[in-house]
Amino acid sequence: MTNQISMFDPASVDNSLQGFVNKEASRMWPGDTHRKRSMAQMDKFIRFSDNLSRPMSQFLPRDIHAFAEHLVATGSSKATANRYLASISSVFNHAVDEQVIQVAPKIKFYSVKSERVRYFSDLEIEQMLSFFTERGDWWMHDMIVLALKTGVRKGEIIALGEGLAPITDCGKWIYLPPEVTKTNKGRHVAITHPDAKAAAYRLRDGLAAEYTKKKFDSRWGLLKREYARTDDSFVFHVTRHNAASRMANELQVPTVIVAEALGHSSLATTQRYVHAKPDVLADIGARM
C-alpha cells in the first residue's frame, strides 16, 4: 500500500500543491535559474482561484486550463501560457513518480506557431547597441554583444555576473556548469572574439551591481517601444537565433557543432557520436 493523498483529505501543508513544490523544488529543477523561474510560475498558479487551499488530488484538467485561459485573457501570449502549463505538468508528473497522487491531470497545450524564427537585422543590432550606449546602460549593450557572438542564453549571462560561470584562466572560455544551463549539461563557451571577450569580462565584474529582472525588462521595454512597438518576436532570445544563423549560414559550421556550441538538447543522438573539439569551437568564436 502506498501512502497516497486522498482526494477527500482537507488541504494542509502536507498535501497542498504549495507544500509539495516547496519540498521538491530542488529535485525537480536542479539549476538555480530554472528553479526560480519555475517556482515563480507555480506560485502564480497556486494563488489563482482557490488553488492555495485545494489538495493536490483534487486538481482537474479544467482547473489548470482555467488558469491558462486567465493568462491569455489578461495579456499573456499562448506561448507564455504554454510555458506555465509545462511547469505545472512537470510538478504533477513528479508527484505521480513520488506516489503522492495516483494520476496527473491531462493538460492540453495551446497550438502556437514556432516562436522567434526571426533574427535581428544588422540595422536592428546597430540600433540596439547605440540605444543602450547612449543611455549609459553598458551592461545591456554587453549582454547583447556576448549573446550575439556566442549564443549564450540570458540566464547563462546572469550566471556569469553572479560568479557561477567562471572565465577560464586562459581567457578563451566561459565555463557553464550544469546547474546554470537550461539542459542541466555543462559546456564551454568560446570568447575568443575580442568583442565577446571584452564584454564577458565587464559582465563578470560588474553585472551583479546592475542587473535585476525588473531593470532588464524595463530597459528592453524602452528599446522595444522605440524600435519594435508592435513586434512580439522582438525579444532578447532572438540573439541566439542570430548566433546560430551566422554559424550555419556564413561560417558553414555543421549543424551538430552549432548545437553543441549553443547547448541545444536536440540532436542528442548525434552528439553521442560526434563531438566538436575544443580548438574547433575556439576557432568559431574567434571568427564570430
Side-chain angles (χ1 to χ4, degrees):
M1 290 287 292
T2 59
N3 188 27
Q4 292 166 331
I5 292 173
S6 168
M7 69 177 294
F8 300 106
D9 291 340
S12 67
V13 173
D14 293 334
N15 69 6
S16 69
L17 180 58
Q18 184 177 50
F20 181 76
V21 170
N22 290 339
K23 181 182 178 181
E24 296 292 318
S26 295
R27 297 180 63 192
M28 290 187 288
W29 309 296
D32 288 342
T33 301
H34 189 191
R35 182 168 62 253
K36 289 177 182 177
R37 180 176 64 248
S38 298
M39 289 187 72
Q41 291 172 334
M42 289 305 302
D43 184 68
K44 192 168 184 177
F45 172 64
I46 289 167
R47 296 183 185 282
F48 176 74
S49 187
D50 64 345
N51 292 349
L52 187 62
S53 59
R54 186 192 299 264
M56 284 197 73
S57 58
Q58 290 188 11
F59 281 89
L60 299 174
R62 64 170 176 261
D63 302 315
I64 298 170
H65 297 150
F67 170 69
E69 291 166 3
H70 168 74
L71 290 176
V72 174
T74 54
S76 296
S77 68
K78 291 182 178 180
T80 296
N82 278 347
R83 285 190 282 273
Y84 277 85
L85 291 174
S87 292
I88 296 168
S89 177
S90 68
V91 168
F92 280 100
N93 286 330
H94 183 67
V96 172
D97 293 340
E98 293 298 306
Q99 298 186 342
V100 172
I101 57 176
Q102 292 182 331
V103 181
K106 293 183 179 180
I107 299 174
K108 292 183 179 180
F109 290 77
Y110 287 106
S111 177
V112 297
K113 295 180 180 179
S114 298
E115 288 186 290
R116 299 163 184 160
V117 296
R118 80 190 299 282
Y119 58 88
F120 294 125
S121 68
D122 291 343
L123 175 60
E124 287 174 324
I125 293 171
E126 180 182 349
Q127 289 171 333
M128 288 190 293
L129 297 179
S130 296
F131 180 81
F132 289 122
T133 297
E134 292 170 3
R135 284 183 46 86
D137 293 323
W138 66 268
W139 53 282
M140 292 290 295
H141 172 283
D142 283 355
M143 287 181 71
I144 292 169
V145 169
L146 186 59
L148 288 170
K149 294 298 183 184
T150 66
V152 287
R153 299 177 176 90
K154 185 177 77 170
E156 293 165 347
I157 298 175
I158 295 168
L160 169 67
E162 292 176 340
L164 302 176
I167 297 175
T168 59
D169 292 340
C170 67
K172 292 183 178 181
W173 309 94
I174 299 170
Y175 174 64
L176 301 173
E179 58 267 23
V180 307
T181 67
K182 186 176 180 179
T183 58
N184 294 321
K185 179 181 179 182
R187 75 180 192 279
H188 284 82
V189 174
I191 52 171
T192 36
H193 190 285
D195 293 345
K197 185 172 185 178
Y201 274 97
R202 285 192 294 265
L203 291 166
R204 182 197 67 177
D205 297 336
L207 182 61
E210 300 286 349
Y211 176 86
T212 66
K213 184 180 185 302
K214 184 176 180 179
K215 284 177 66 176
F216 180 92
D217 291 345
S218 173
R219 301 301 195 275
W220 193 267
L222 292 172
L223 173 70
K224 185 176 177 181
R225 187 177 67 182
E226 185 74 18
Y227 295 113
R229 188 182 293 265
T230 62
D231 187 353
D232 291 338
S233 66
F234 194 93
V235 293
F236 185 85
H237 192 81
V238 171
T239 54
R240 278 174 62 80
H241 290 263
N242 273 75
S245 296
R246 180 159 169 72
M247 289 179 188
N249 298 326
E250 298 182 32
L251 304 182
Q252 301 298 304
V253 178
T255 303
V256 172
I257 299 179
V258 174
E260 187 163 342
L262 270 64
H264 286 154
S265 58
S266 58
L267 296 178
T269 302
T270 306
Q271 287 179 310
R272 294 193 189 106
Y273 297 93
V274 180
H275 296 275
K277 296 180 180 179
D279 287 344
V280 173
L281 293 178
D283 181 60
I284 293 168
R287 293 162 57 199
M288 286 290 285

